[in-house]
Amino acid sequence: MSRDDCAVPSARPTILVVDDLPENIHGLLEALKDDYSILVATDGPKAVELAQGPTPPDLVLLDVKMPGMDGYEVCKWLKSSPKTCNIPILFVTIVDASGEKIRGFSLGAADFITKPFDIDEVRARVKTHLELGRLRKVLEGRVERLNEYKHAADVSNIVSRTDPQGVITYVNDAFVETYGYSREELIGKTHRVIADPSTPPGLIRELWSTILSGAIWRGTFCNLSKSGEEVYVNNTIVPILNADGSIREFISTSVNVTYLIKQEELIRQQTTDALTGLPNRVKLMQDLGKASSRAMLGMINIDQFKAINDFYGLCNGDKVLLEIGARLQKMTAGRASAYRIGGDLFALFSEKQGDAAGFESLIATILNQLESVAVDCGDDKINIRVTAGICFGRDNAYTHAALALERARIERRDYLVYTDQMEIKSHYKDNIRWSQKIRRALTDGRIVPFFQPIVDNVSGQVCKHEALMRMIDEDGEVIAPTFLRAAKLSRQYAALTKAIFEQAVAILDKCSGEVAINLTVEDILDSNTVAFIDQKLSQPGVGPRIVLEITETEGIENYEEIRLFVDRMKTYGCKFAIDDFGSGYSNFVHLLRLKIDYLKIDGSIIMSIIDDPDSETIAQVIVDAARRLGMRTVAEYVGSADIQLKAKQLGFDFSQGYYLGKPLPKPLSAPDAD
């Protein structure tokens, strides 16, 4: 057994699960307990204690958001300790923002798993990173033993002797074993029998020129074994002279360094971008880790690179990346090192003596030159635009440069230099804050429907309600759904939809008429949400009293999926409305095929029907067309008596708006709580 084989663990790997929520811990335990030994910590200090124990874990699944010592602090602590610095850390978090991932990776995290997690994905990622960790240990062990292998090779040299014309007269056992030829196949031949045809002729001429002059030649080159395998040798050829100074023979001693060469190539590949040949993100992080306080880092991004791939094709997209990489190397020669750190993102790093203004000027010049000369892709000449972010100093250099780059893109600037005053993290913090608020509100039952009345324009009576999502904040404030984007980013949106749907269905027996519930395309494309809606609508008496509202622009681009969903839910007797009709691509043919029951006319049209003749005309056309097609119409955003009067004159079947009734915690027809 080789020493490297000893790196394969004989016992089950140990995983440390760190989370303050029992349900998350339980989910991970159920997913992993059959294959791994599990340690559990419910806070940061306990996690550090277990990791520093007599048997450190092989991998850590670490929650980001914990009271007290959060996941980032735990990660930073573990990576700073020699005992735990090489343990792979996978963050398990509800946050899916690029800035938070950048922060995690800059601290040394290996990967992110986003909650709610998929069990199969968790198993796959854990297995992958455990294997990568094992291979890294093997690789480190091999690199540490490079000198040992070299010494072992020195005491088992490959030896051959030739006459002055290069004809082989002797080979040792190591020669025979290395190249796979018998002595009979070698004696009387020249070394051409093992020569690699791709060896540069200049190297051969140099070798013969040296040894024929009586000097010793040393060099490394590649030969081929009998089976065609490459054999890299570190070769020394010594001329043996006669008494008169003439050459009697040559003795060649070689060390087989094939393993070392390929090992070095493997290490190089780990830190080199395969496409451009530039150092990659791994190498940049290594260099930043060793950087001095004079470190200067610039990140350069190709704007709208996806559009280049889509329009010109992936092949030309790769040509652009290759050309940009080559230009950066040329333009920064001697002044900075160029890296490709992923996708369309490059970096320039320097520790050269000089002021910050010089580095900033270099970046500005490079940006100008990259944009001024089109990339030649044969038949196509592709012009690019680039944006850069710059930071000075080694502390959090990667994160700061990335944040400056993002701010430059937002502000449409060529580049920006990171400063402590930048508020670029604000929207990340805002997303995290809302994500936490949503999670607490869901747990506490503070995501609730408010019911806005819808009036029958013939009878003038409230005939139905729309259930509108609201969050009741911890201080009692009622918050409109401005938090939906954060909910989608944190994978909590489906839970919000289910909470509103369940409460709206539960109140049906306390009010009369229909209740309308809003759905988005995300809901309709989510199989779990659809199954939940299916189950609710199948309850006795529920389906015929529910109206499902779909925003017009949501459904058009996913027509077939929407149609299948509508057909399925119609079997329960529910009705469908298209919300905000007139705000997008108003296609009556689609609506007929979907068998839509109600059209809710976009509020921007309704609010203008008094003062804008065009809006009045559009509204009239939609009402008339809908009536002919058997659809009923709802005027939204009715904010005054004049608008309501006009809506009735135009023939709207129903009206809805603050003039007729604000959203309330329960339907108008619901009985009092007592």
Side-chain angles (χ1 to χ4, degrees):
M1 176 185 293
S2 72
R3 294 175 63 179
D4 293 329
D5 291 336
C6 296
V8 179
S10 57
R12 297 202 312 173
T14 299
I15 297 175
L16 172 58
V17 176
V18 187
D19 202 305
D20 61 322
L21 296 179
E23 60 267 30
N24 291 338
I25 294 175
H26 177 74
L28 292 170
L29 283 174
E30 288 300 311
L32 303 171
K33 67 181 182 180
D34 293 339
D35 301 311
Y36 309 101
S37 300
I38 309 295
L39 299 174
V40 175
T42 57
D43 57 38
K46 184 64 176 178
V48 172
E49 177 185 343
L50 290 174
Q52 289 290 309
T55 55
D58 299 287
L59 182 142
V60 178
L61 292 174
L62 178 59
D63 187 22
V64 172
K65 298 302 173 184
M66 296 185 293
M69 188 179 190
D70 67 11
Y72 292 127
E73 293 178 85
V74 174
C75 180
K76 184 176 181 180
W77 203 99
L78 294 179
K79 290 300 178 180
S80 67
S81 170
K83 187 174 183 179
T84 57
C85 63
N86 290 323
I87 298 175
I89 296 175
L90 279 63
F91 277 127
V92 183
T93 175
I94 60 174
V95 177
D96 196 24
S98 60
E100 293 303 311
K101 289 186 176 180
I102 289 173
R103 180 183 178 191
F105 287 135
S106 68
L107 290 172
D111 206 348
F112 273 75
I113 298 174
T114 305
K115 300 176 185 176
F117 48 75
D118 179 87
I119 295 301
D120 291 333
E121 179 187 2
V122 172
R123 291 192 184 107
R125 289 180 183 266
V126 166
K127 182 178 179 181
T128 296
H129 285 286
L130 283 172
E131 178 63 11
L132 288 174
R134 185 189 72 80
L135 292 175
R136 178 186 52 75
K137 290 178 182 178
V138 170
L139 182 59
E140 289 175 349
R142 290 176 176 177
V143 171
E144 290 173 358
R145 291 192 293 274
L146 283 176
N147 288 333
E148 297 177 26
Y149 291 145
K150 185 177 185 302
H151 173 72
D154 285 339
V155 297
S156 57
N157 288 337
I158 301 165
V159 179
S160 66
R161 288 159 46 185
T162 72
D163 64 18
Q165 287 71 45
V167 176
I168 298 172
T169 59
Y170 167 83
V171 294
N172 70 349
D173 291 340
F175 196 110
V176 171
E177 293 170 4
T178 299
Y179 293 107
Y181 290 96
S182 67
R183 282 184 171 80
E184 291 72 23
E185 292 175 298
L186 294 167
I187 304 299
K189 306 286 182 29
T190 69
H191 280 83
R192 289 192 184 95
V193 71
I194 60 170
D196 182 350
S198 64
T199 302
L203 179 62
I204 303 300
R205 287 194 296 271
E206 176 199 334
L207 182 156
W208 277 105
S209 174
T210 302
I211 61 177
L212 287 175
S213 70
I216 296 173
W217 184 89
R218 295 182 177 88
T220 300
F221 54 88
C222 180
N223 289 323
L224 297 178
S225 70
K226 186 175 182 178
S227 62
E229 295 181 0
E230 294 179 334
V231 179
Y232 289 91
V233 292
N234 189 358
N235 187 224
T236 300
I237 302 177
V238 180
I240 305 299
L241 305 179
N242 293 310
D244 60 2
S246 61
I247 296 174
R248 185 175 72 228
E249 65 177 347
F250 300 108
I251 295 180
S252 169
T253 59
S254 301
V255 176
N256 187 343
V257 292
T258 304
Y259 178 81
L260 301 180
I261 294 294
K262 293 188 175 181
Q263 192 73 14
E264 289 174 359
E265 177 62 18
L266 175 61
I267 295 171
R268 189 193 69 80
Q269 290 175 359
Q270 297 294 319
T271 57
T272 302
D273 175 57
L275 176 64
T276 63
L278 292 175
N280 62 13
R281 179 186 175 277
V282 173
K283 185 64 168 68
L284 175 60
M285 298 307 293
Q286 291 175 354
D287 292 344
L288 287 173
K290 299 180 290 186
S292 68
S293 59
R294 300 193 305 271
M296 298 178 286
L297 179 64
M299 282 191 185
I300 299 175
N301 179 251
I302 303 174
D303 297 343
Q304 297 181 330
F305 184 70
K306 182 179 183 299
I308 293 176
N309 276 334
D310 291 344
F311 189 82
Y312 293 100
L314 296 176
C315 182
N316 281 334
D318 285 349
K319 289 180 181 178
V320 170
L321 295 173
L322 281 166
E323 177 65 17
I324 297 305
R327 290 188 193 179
L328 288 176
Q329 277 190 305
K330 184 176 180 180
M331 289 186 285
T332 59
R335 303 178 66 183
S337 298
Y339 304 75
R340 182 186 176 213
I341 54 179
D344 56 357
L345 191 59
F346 293 83
L348 301 178
F349 169 68
S350 176
E351 286 188 283
K352 299 286 184 183
Q353 289 284 359
D355 58 10
F359 188 75
E360 184 176 341
S361 176
L362 173 64
I363 296 291
T365 300
I366 287 172
L367 297 185
N368 181 64
Q369 292 182 5
L370 290 177
E371 293 183 353
S372 62
V373 180
V375 177
D376 188 350
C377 294
D379 294 336
D380 299 308
K381 301 290 189 294
I382 302 176
N383 292 100
I384 64 167
R385 287 192 59 80
V386 287
T387 305
I390 303 171
C391 77
F392 300 108
R394 66 181 179 183
D395 294 337
N396 295 316
Y398 191 97
T399 300
H400 289 167
L403 293 174
L405 170 61
E406 181 168 346
R407 175 56 63 185
R409 296 181 67 179
I410 291 171
E411 297 183 7
R412 298 182 181 278
R413 304 278 292 275
D414 291 339
Y415 70 88
L416 281 176
V417 178
Y418 177 83
T419 65
D420 291 337
Q421 289 72 39
M422 279 186 175
E423 295 297 329
I424 194 163
K425 289 184 180 179
S426 61
H427 64 285
Y428 296 136
K429 294 179 180 178
D430 195 51
N431 285 340
I432 295 170
R433 180 175 65 87
W434 276 112
S435 175
Q436 294 170 338
K437 287 171 73 73
I438 293 167
R439 182 174 65 177
R440 292 195 297 268
L442 284 167
T443 301
D444 298 343
R446 291 185 284 103
I447 299 296
V448 299
F450 270 41
F451 298 88
Q452 186 169 31
I454 300 174
V455 172
D456 185 318
N457 284 338
V458 175
S459 68
Q461 300 298 311
V462 173
C463 61
K464 60 187 72 179
H465 292 81
E466 180 179 358
L468 300 169
M469 185 185 300
R470 296 291 185 266
M471 176 193 290
I472 309 301
D473 206 0
E474 291 169 324
D475 61 3
E477 179 186 0
V478 178
I479 303 174
T482 55
F483 46 82
L484 294 185
R485 180 179 179 275
K488 291 178 181 179
L489 290 173
S490 59
R491 308 283 181 90
Q492 298 182 100
Y493 183 75
L496 297 179
T497 297
K498 292 176 183 178
I500 296 302
F501 209 102
E502 179 147 19
Q503 294 174 77
V505 169
I507 208 167
L508 287 175
D509 60 353
K510 299 180 181 179
C511 68
S512 59
E514 298 169 340
V515 172
I517 304 172
N518 289 285
L519 295 180
T520 66
V521 70
E522 285 93 338
D523 297 317
I524 295 172
L525 298 180
D526 186 318
S527 59
N528 290 328
T529 301
V530 171
F532 175 85
I533 295 172
D534 198 303
Q535 185 270 327
K536 291 297 177 184
L537 292 181
S538 67
Q539 297 176 14
V542 172
R545 294 187 59 193
I546 294 296
V547 178
L548 299 179
E549 292 191 7
I550 307 170
T551 301
E552 177 199 357
T553 51
E554 293 267 4
I556 294 300
E557 295 179 358
N558 299 275
Y559 172 76
E560 188 58 26
E561 291 89 342
I562 300 298
R563 186 187 65 77
L564 292 173
F565 175 78
V566 171
D567 289 347
R568 178 175 176 180
M569 299 307 158
K570 282 260 185 179
T571 62
Y572 298 115
C574 73
K575 298 181 178 65
F576 277 85
I578 295 295
D579 200 7
D580 298 333
F581 189 78
S583 62
Y585 181 65
S586 306
N587 191 321
F588 279 103
V589 175
H590 281 168
L591 301 184
L592 280 173
R593 293 179 64 194
L594 291 174
K595 301 181 179 63
I596 296 300
D597 302 283
Y598 301 105
L599 293 186
K600 302 188 75 172
I601 312 304
D602 184 58
S604 64
I605 297 174
I606 300 302
M607 289 187 293
S608 304
I609 59 175
I610 299 297
D611 304 316
D612 183 4
D614 291 338
S615 294
E616 181 180 352
T617 300
I618 292 171
Q620 185 68 73
V621 169
I622 295 175
V623 169
D624 292 344
R627 183 178 296 115
R628 291 188 179 93
L629 296 173
M631 302 176 200
R632 308 188 77 183
T633 52
V634 183
E636 293 190 288
Y637 289 87
V638 174
S640 69
D642 290 340
I643 293 177
Q644 172 61 0
L645 178 60
K646 178 62 72 174
K648 294 172 69 174
Q649 292 171 350
L650 292 173
F652 278 94
D653 298 294
F654 306 97
S655 292
Q656 176 181 355
Y658 271 44
Y659 170 70
L660 301 168
K662 297 180 180 180
L664 297 171
K666 58 185 179 181
L668 291 178
S669 52
D672 293 335
D674 57 1

